[in-house]
Amino acid sequence: MPSYGVNIAMRRILGSSRNARAVCTTPDINALVHLSKTPPTTRHDGPLHGMTLAIKDNICTASLPTTCSSAMLAEYTSPFDATAVELLRDAGAQIIGKANCDEFGMGSLNVNSIYGPVVNPYRPADVRNVPSTVRERRSAGGSSGGSAASVAAGMCAAALGTDTGGSVRLPASYCGIVGLKPSYGLISRWGVVSFADSLDCVGVLARSVDTVKEVFDVILVYDARDPTAASPELRKRASSIVGSCLPKMFSGVQTNTLDGLRIGIPHEYFPLELEPSITSSLRTIIRSLKDAGASIHPVSLPATQYALSVYYVIASAEASSNLARFDGIQYGLRVPPPPGASRSKPSTVYAHSRSAGFGREAQKRILLGTYALTADAFDNYFLQAQRVRAHIKADFNRVFRHPCVHLARPESFLSADGVDVLLHPSAIRTAPRLAGEQDGGGEGRDMSSMDEYLQDVMTVPASLAGLPALSVPAGLGKDGWPVGMSIVGQWGMDELVLRVGRVVEGIR
Amino acid sequence: MIVRPCPWRARQLHQLWRPLGFKRLQSERAVRSDRRWPGWEVVVGIEVHAQIKSQRKLFSDALTCKPGEKPNSFVTSYDAALPGTLPTLNPKCVQLGVRTAIALNAQVQSRSAFDRKHYFYSDLPAGYQITQRYAPLAKGGYLDLSSTRDGVRVGITQIQLEQDTAKSIFDAHRRITQVDLNRAGSGLMEIVSEPDMRSPEEAGDYVRTLQAMLRAVGASDGSMELGSLRCDVNVSVNKPGHPPGTRCEIKNLNSVKFMMAAITSEVFRHIDLLERGQPVPQETRGFDEAKAETFKLRSKEDSPDYRYMPDPNLPPLLLSPEYIDRVRRSMPELPRETRARFMGTGLTEQEAEMLMAVDAGREVRFDGEPARGAVQYFDRLAQGRSAKAAVNWMIHELLGQLAARKETFSDNPISVEQMGELVDMVQCGKMTGTSGKTLLRHMVTSRSTASPLILAKELGLLAVSDHDGSLLKDWCLEAIEALPEEVQKVRDGNVKVMNRIMGKVMQLSGGRVKAGDVRQMLEDLLRKS
């Protein structure tokens, strides 16, 4: 794959950015793919005045290309800004560029990109003196790998990503930063190139929970252009529930007091594949949270075991539909049929553009999704997946103390012994090594293709249920690389999740 | 069961079976032998696609557009399926769909939903069309055909909202296909009938009745010429008393005449196959207008898998009973209701039909805005006035004047206020009927927006204020003087000649005196002298 544009981009960053020092220490992580040429004049009175931000390349910007890291859109610039981008600009933020990602958000390692993989900028303590050229190259996670890496490398204060099945939380965990996937429907998706509409969320990545919250508060606006946006009434109901429980928990002078907070540990989140060192990180966190006054409760979410299968059926089905528009007719890559090729049907003509424009992973998922929607498979795959998805949602509603405001009579689910939030590892391991590395020895495992799908096993359930989930750094694994812990709350309890996240963040 | 041709009996059975809840059987309607195909029964069902007459498209802000506009000038980024765009349902389209459902006596569903239908074609920029396959807007319903006296009622299976496609035009000369997105994403209603029609004529009647109904409720132009109404027809043929035959679908018929021709040709094709002992294969067919023949598009085996999927962007459409009731109450009058109301106000059937026929040609306005046709004009004109006077002035004078100028009612330059004032002036004697007609002609010609009172003054058309009758007397005396021979004849008893003298008085007065008064005055004067 060619990685055009990237080197030029890096050189520009090195030459001009005031964050040059940070960049110098982590060269060539391939995080940004298009850079803003001149810093646009920003509003001086906005709450984000002066804050630098990177935007994932599947979020539309009128001033920079939006390629989704796909050959299909390599030359594409959107005529409009996404609502989230518009809100950030209005708040005075400075958008420094577009971040590398997996093609159309499809991937967990940010290796499915025409710009090449994003390299995790994290440097473990024991290799600080090893020259970068011979240093082990690990994945930044995906699909918002460029967003996470640019923040972790200090190129910007925060970044927007998108999270369909873990695409913000996983890279945040691998890069050792904070990543929030808000409740589905809170942040406008207008201008976000759809991968799977019923799962896609705009997320925020930053080095601290406070910065994440600063950005989140700015983009947390109802937008009538997003038909899946939560209605203002629903937002009000959810925030009144948060408001009623927050003062009780975070009272007193000491903000880190968690008296009365009930934290659930779901036992389905400890699969065989989970690295043992991550469990010990979790134990440390749990001890500290108990000390702060929280109570810990084991809970069960039995449908979790089906989450990954459900996710890949639904996400692929929706992707096959959403990506049907890329036919090379109006915009995007166009490969005319070679002489002599059949032109009998539009599909035979489009096939040439689509075969050349979509990468391997996108093609795989389009095919899988297309199959799931065929008349023969629809009931057994797509509808069945929707049924199981309802079970997964019901599981969550059973364990949470707070009612789901989406339900007609939320009171019926109110349970006194429910938990406020769930806590579990964000990933089954630390950042995996990028494939194709020369030094194949040692304990670092290469990723087999099935392993890549497994990365999402911890993050997918919250996506399917549309719940807010925050990944916060929680120490280091045995290999010296960052470990992330996820805090998951009931729909609309993003504020609570962020508050708990800040406490977890403080445990070092 | 073979039912003999007996329309009366069929109606009886029909009325008996309905309340008992029997599912209507195909053979329920009496088989009427058709001279064109004796011994065969024809079964027709129709899917109508009607463009919704909304200002904006179904899911975007773009204005809807008429054919003939500059290509690709009514397009937003959503209509062009640019990445990152999302649909927003236009409530006006829902309202017009609900109106249609109510007018077709269908059950509006409290919960309906949108699905994606996938196929690759250059006129479908997103690669899918948003429609309502699994949960349509309305189910069940019926339409009574208008012209037949034997009460044919066509069942409506469902009504669904969906997006129209773009237009692709093949330029044979340059061997390229051009795409015009102006129509892409406009709102359509798909109205699916039960297979309740038994002849090409009934099918034609169904489409025409539906057209009139759609126009009456303001839901659609219903114009097949402009492409705002298109039909797909399902045809099958069977021996009376036997189960229905294999049906074939004929796609994209764009006039009632061609639709009827296509059905007729398809019926003969089926009968021909069956009489030769061959089965009718289930097919989708097109219609060749030049040859008046259908031709095969694809067989059942080649039918595409549209991979229907619930649209993940559009939440279910929930309609409360209050909303449906609000739409019901704001419904425009249906044609049969208008007719009944007119007859109730003392209009003759002819007058009512005349007004409604003129009204039917009106422009259907956007978003169900109240119509501005002849019926509305009449209703406003008749408000506080005699309905008889209003209809006379409208039909005989106003429409007459317009017709004389080869204009239609839509060209009418006279406002209801002007017309009303004019009628009032005649009614209360400020102006004679003759003067009123003269004034109306002047107004239609000059397209003046001035008040009729002012115009009448300018033109000297006001009835003379002649309380003691001195003016009238002067004119009469002048006439008597001018026509001595006639006067003599009248005196000799030839009363008919009186009319000539009266005419002279009218001429002298400029038509501003009433005929009765003139006669009275002349009689008095002639008796005296």
Side-chain angles (χ1 to χ4, degrees):
Chain A
M1 284 289 172
S3 57
Y4 45 88
V6 181
N7 292 332
I8 309 164
M10 283 311 302
R11 240 174 276 134
R12 260 197 232 120
I13 268 267
L14 288 168
S16 68
S17 172
R18 56 187 164 135
N19 293 316
R21 192 188 55 81
V23 178
C24 285
T25 57
T26 54
D28 211 14
I29 57 170
N30 202 15
L32 296 181
V33 292
H34 321 289
L35 290 178
S36 299
K37 286 185 187 77
T38 47
T41 46
T42 58
R43 283 179 48 174
H44 289 268
D45 53 346
L48 297 185
H49 172 64
M51 185 186 279
T52 50
L53 268 141
I55 308 290
K56 189 176 177 179
D57 206 26
N58 63 348
I59 301 176
C60 292
T61 46
S63 57
L64 291 168
T66 300
T67 71
C68 302
S69 292
S70 177
M72 188 56 97
L73 292 177
E75 308 292 327
Y76 183 75
T77 300
S78 174
F80 57 87
D81 272 333
T83 303
V85 172
E86 215 172 80
L87 290 168
L88 290 175
R89 280 197 214 279
D90 286 351
Q94 187 194 332
I95 286 151
I96 62 159
K98 300 296 285 283
N100 198 347
C101 60
D102 277 306
E103 186 175 9
F104 291 104
M106 297 176 179
S108 307
L109 298 171
N110 211 140
V111 293
N112 309 320
S113 164
I114 48 161
Y115 303 111
V118 177
V119 180
N120 194 324
Y122 186 80
R123 288 177 307 129
D126 57 340
V127 296
R128 289 266 152 89
N129 300 321
V130 180
S132 64
T133 45
V134 294
R135 207 180 292 151
E136 177 187 42
R137 279 157 46 100
R138 291 215 186 186
S139 164
S143 63
S144 311
S147 300
S150 59
V151 169
M155 295 169 170
C156 48
L160 287 192
T162 60
D163 189 315
T164 305
S167 286
V168 160
R169 293 160 283 163
L170 202 62
S173 174
Y174 287 170
C175 293
I177 61 166
V178 182
L180 170 70
K181 179 205 94 77
S183 301
Y184 179 81
L186 287 188
I187 312 296
S188 172
R189 288 192 297 117
W190 176 262
V192 176
V193 180
S194 294
F195 159 15
D197 297 295
S198 74
L199 296 156
D200 292 344
C201 291
V202 174
V204 184
L205 302 104
R207 281 186 295 278
S208 73
V209 174
D210 282 342
T211 312
V212 165
K213 187 167 156 39
E214 259 183 274
V215 176
F216 175 62
D217 285 346
V218 164
I219 58 176
L220 181 61
V221 175
Y222 170 75
D223 177 15
R225 285 178 296 184
D226 176 359
T228 55
S231 66
E233 302 88 77
L234 213 54
R235 289 165 198 254
K236 210 181 283 170
R237 265 157 73 188
S239 68
S240 79
I241 295 173
V242 180
S244 69
C245 71
L246 274 185
K248 269 181 272 167
M249 284 166 207
F250 299 91
S251 57
V253 201
Q254 213 187 342
T255 50
N256 285 6
T257 301
L258 293 178
D259 279 337
L261 185 79
R262 298 170 63 89
I263 298 175
I265 312 290
H267 36 104
E268 287 79 7
Y269 283 65
F270 298 88
L272 282 175
E273 294 86 355
L274 185 68
E275 251 176 38
S277 65
I278 291 178
T279 319
S280 49
S281 286
L282 181 63
R283 279 206 193 90
T284 315
I285 301 272
I286 288 176
R287 252 195 311 278
S288 306
L289 290 171
K290 269 184 175 165
D291 291 346
S295 60
I296 307 296
H297 306 269
V299 296
S300 176
L301 302 163
T304 300
Q305 54 179 318
Y306 308 113
L308 208 54
S309 318
V310 167
Y311 170 77
Y312 277 102
V313 171
I314 292 175
S316 305
E318 291 185 19
S320 78
S321 172
N322 286 326
L323 270 52
R325 68 189 58 205
F326 301 109
D327 51 20
I329 297 294
Q330 293 181 71
Y331 53 81
L333 181 77
R334 181 182 173 85
V335 176
S342 162
R343 291 164 184 263
S344 60
K345 283 188 288 185
S347 53
T348 57
V349 177
Y350 298 173
H352 300 280
S353 300
R354 289 170 64 82
S355 299
F358 291 129
R360 209 181 123 72
E361 187 62 29
Q363 290 192 14
K364 213 195 280 185
R365 296 199 194 193
I366 290 170
L367 287 174
L368 176 65
T370 301
Y371 173 69
L373 292 178
T374 53
D376 290 342
F378 186 73
D379 278 13
N380 284 337
Y381 287 81
F382 187 80
L383 283 187
Q384 185 64 12
Q386 297 289 2
R387 284 182 212 114
V388 180
R389 185 176 184 178
H391 279 290
I392 292 168
K393 281 185 195 175
D395 270 4
F396 280 112
N397 285 335
R398 246 192 315 274
V399 301
F400 281 124
R401 171 146 75 172
H402 313 284
C404 172
V405 292
H406 284 288
L407 297 172
R409 290 189 305 119
E411 297 75 22
S412 57
F413 281 91
L414 201 102
S415 60
D417 53 349
V419 298
D420 293 296
V421 291
L422 297 169
L423 181 70
H424 60 75
S426 300
I428 53 171
R429 52 168 301 169
T430 55
R433 194 130 35 89
L434 284 168
E437 290 292 294
Q438 292 302 307
D439 50 348
E443 64 207 312
R445 284 176 294 175
D446 276 339
M447 301 294 296
S448 77
S449 61
M450 271 318 280
D451 272 358
E452 189 182 339
Y453 297 122
L454 261 182
Q455 300 302 302
D456 294 334
V457 72
M458 318 292 262
T459 50
V460 150
S463 291
L464 289 168
L467 305 178
L470 179 77
S471 178
V472 179
L476 303 175
K478 200 174 74 180
D479 55 2
W481 285 72
V483 167
M485 284 301 151
S486 280
I487 299 128
V488 177
Q490 178 58 285
W491 189 92
M493 312 290 277
D494 302 56
E495 172 85 32
L496 176 66
V497 164
L498 286 165
R499 291 285 189 101
V500 177
R502 206 162 67 184
V503 177
V504 173
E505 183 183 47
I507 304 166
R508 286 286 153 95
Chain B
M1 183 178 75
I2 296 171
V3 184
R4 295 201 168 275
C6 174
W8 175 83
R9 193 178 146 75
R11 250 204 324 280
Q12 294 281 302
L13 281 176
H14 191 169
Q15 285 158 1
L16 275 175
W17 289 15
R18 271 260 144 153
L20 290 174
F22 278 98
K23 196 170 159 45
R24 277 216 282 168
L25 299 175
Q26 194 205 335
S27 53
E28 181 196 339
R29 267 181 63 194
V31 178
R32 266 182 311 185
S33 186
D34 195 312
R35 274 215 310 252
R36 291 166 290 187
W37 36 76
W40 292 98
E41 188 180 20
V42 171
V43 177
V44 179
I46 301 181
E47 281 171 31
V48 167
H49 291 91
Q51 243 171 39
I52 299 172
K53 185 76 180 185
S54 56
Q55 182 95 52
R56 293 172 195 282
K57 294 184 179 180
L58 184 54
F59 294 117
S60 84
D61 274 349
L63 296 173
T64 50
C65 119
K66 280 185 179 163
E69 300 278 3
K70 186 169 168 275
N72 297 312
S73 53
F74 290 71
V75 188
T76 63
S77 44
Y78 173 77
D79 306 315
L82 294 192
T85 55
L86 296 167
T88 308
L89 180 61
N90 178 354
K92 296 287 184 190
C93 293
V94 176
Q95 191 197 340
L96 294 178
V98 171
R99 272 193 192 180
T100 305
I102 292 171
L104 288 173
N105 314 290
Q107 273 82 52
V108 178
Q109 303 294 295
S110 56
R111 181 192 180 281
S112 64
F114 294 96
D115 307 301
R116 293 180 182 178
K117 173 184 181 176
H118 298 89
Y119 59 93
F120 287 114
Y121 203 77
S122 46
D123 63 12
L124 195 63
Y128 58 82
Q129 174 200 33
I130 301 179
T131 175
Q132 294 194 298
R133 176 181 162 93
Y134 294 115
L137 180 72
K139 287 184 194 167
Y142 59 86
L143 181 66
D144 287 324
L145 301 194
S146 57
S147 65
T148 45
R149 296 285 170 197
D150 49 347
V152 175
R153 173 169 284 189
V154 177
I156 304 292
T157 316
Q158 64 177 54
I159 301 163
Q160 61 197 49
L161 299 177
E162 60 186 36
Q163 291 175 304
D164 208 343
T165 58
K167 259 185 192 157
S168 53
I169 306 119
F170 183 65
D171 184 338
H173 182 64
R174 291 155 68 195
R175 295 188 53 77
I176 53 166
T177 299
Q178 291 176 305
V179 179
D180 175 10
L181 295 179
N182 278 354
R183 203 179 66 181
S186 295
L188 284 182
M189 285 178 285
E190 181 174 323
I191 302 165
V192 185
S193 88
E194 296 284 335
D196 285 351
M197 287 148 279
R198 294 290 172 271
S199 68
E201 291 70 29
E202 281 185 10
D205 192 3
Y206 169 77
V207 172
R208 287 201 185 98
T209 311
L210 186 61
Q211 262 176 333
M213 199 281 300
L214 290 171
R215 292 180 57 82
V217 299
S220 172
D221 269 344
S223 160
M224 292 190 91
E225 302 84 72
L226 294 176
S228 51
L229 192 129
R230 311 188 283 273
C231 297
D232 299 343
V233 181
N234 280 289
V235 181
S236 74
V237 158
N238 61 278
K239 288 275 185 190
H242 286 259
T246 308
R247 64 190 165 88
C248 285
E249 185 180 26
I250 314 164
K251 284 260 183 214
N252 278 327
L253 296 162
N254 47 25
S255 85
V256 174
K257 201 180 93 195
F258 286 139
M259 179 188 75
M260 289 165 64
I263 296 171
T264 308
S265 126
E266 189 64 7
V267 168
F268 281 124
R269 192 181 68 87
H270 284 212
I271 292 173
D272 187 49
L273 282 169
L274 294 169
E275 281 180 342
R276 282 190 283 134
Q278 291 173 9
V280 175
Q282 191 177 332
E283 282 171 357
T284 301
R285 301 179 68 85
F287 182 65
D288 183 327
E289 290 160 13
K291 290 191 201 156
E293 271 176 14
T294 66
F295 59 90
K296 180 176 162 176
L297 285 171
R298 58 175 183 257
S299 65
K300 191 191 171 199
E301 290 72 35
D302 312 328
S303 70
D305 185 338
Y306 291 119
R307 309 191 314 279
Y308 285 98
M309 177 184 91
D311 192 297
N313 282 325
L314 291 159
L317 175 59
L318 305 176
L319 301 177
S320 66
E322 293 78 36
Y323 170 83
I324 297 167
D325 217 50
R326 238 184 355 261
V327 176
R328 192 187 303 277
R329 270 177 292 152
S330 69
M331 287 273 284
E333 218 170 26
L334 296 178
R336 61 167 186 276
E337 295 164 352
T338 312
R339 192 175 295 116
R341 186 166 58 83
F342 281 173
M343 309 290 277
T345 60
L347 265 55
T348 64
E349 191 172 349
Q350 270 173 320
E351 286 165 342
E353 286 301 329
M354 179 78 181
L355 278 179
M356 291 176 62
V358 173
D359 192 63
R362 71 173 194 273
E363 189 197 354
V364 177
R365 296 173 70 208
F366 284 121
D367 293 341
E369 289 288 311
R372 289 204 207 114
V375 166
Q376 187 236 23
Y377 194 93
F378 168 77
D379 283 339
R380 288 178 56 202
L381 188 61
Q383 216 159 49
R385 297 188 182 91
S386 134
K388 212 66 193 170
V391 79
N392 278 335
W393 277 96
M394 249 191 91
I395 294 181
H396 300 298
E397 305 311 328
L398 181 57
L399 290 173
Q401 292 290 346
L402 290 168
R405 296 168 52 83
K406 296 198 166 62
E407 287 177 340
T408 66
F409 188 70
S410 56
D411 306 312
N412 172 29
I414 316 279
S415 72
V416 176
E417 288 71 28
Q418 286 177 302
M419 194 69 194
E421 197 180 333
L422 192 152
V423 173
D424 289 344
M425 283 162 68
V426 175
Q427 291 293 103
C428 71
K430 270 191 186 167
M431 192 166 55
T432 63
T434 320
S435 300
K437 290 172 196 176
T438 310
L439 178 59
L440 185 62
R441 189 185 314 126
H442 169 78
M443 286 165 71
V444 170
T445 316
S446 68
R447 307 189 100 75
S448 165
T449 54
S451 138
L453 182 63
I454 293 166
L455 290 171
K457 269 185 194 157
E458 283 174 16
L459 299 169
L461 286 171
L462 282 183
V464 285
S465 55
D466 191 24
H467 296 297
D468 55 353
S470 61
L471 258 173
L472 178 62
K473 195 173 175 182
D474 289 350
W475 281 321
C476 288
L477 289 172
E478 201 181 334
I480 290 169
E481 205 165 304
L483 304 166
E485 279 179 37
E486 281 79 359
V487 169
Q488 194 52 52
K489 279 182 187 167
V490 173
R491 285 195 170 133
D492 293 348
N494 193 348
V495 191
K496 277 186 191 166
V497 183
M498 181 68 109
N499 288 343
R500 235 182 276 166
I501 310 173
M502 280 175 68
K504 183 69 185 176
V505 177
M506 285 294 184
Q507 189 196 335
L508 290 169
S509 72
R512 291 180 291 169
V513 286
K514 286 183 187 155
D517 296 349
V518 176
R519 179 179 291 272
Q520 189 67 49
M521 178 63 77
L522 282 172
E523 279 173 0
D524 285 356
L525 289 170
L526 292 178
R527 210 176 299 134
K528 275 183 209 161
S529 52

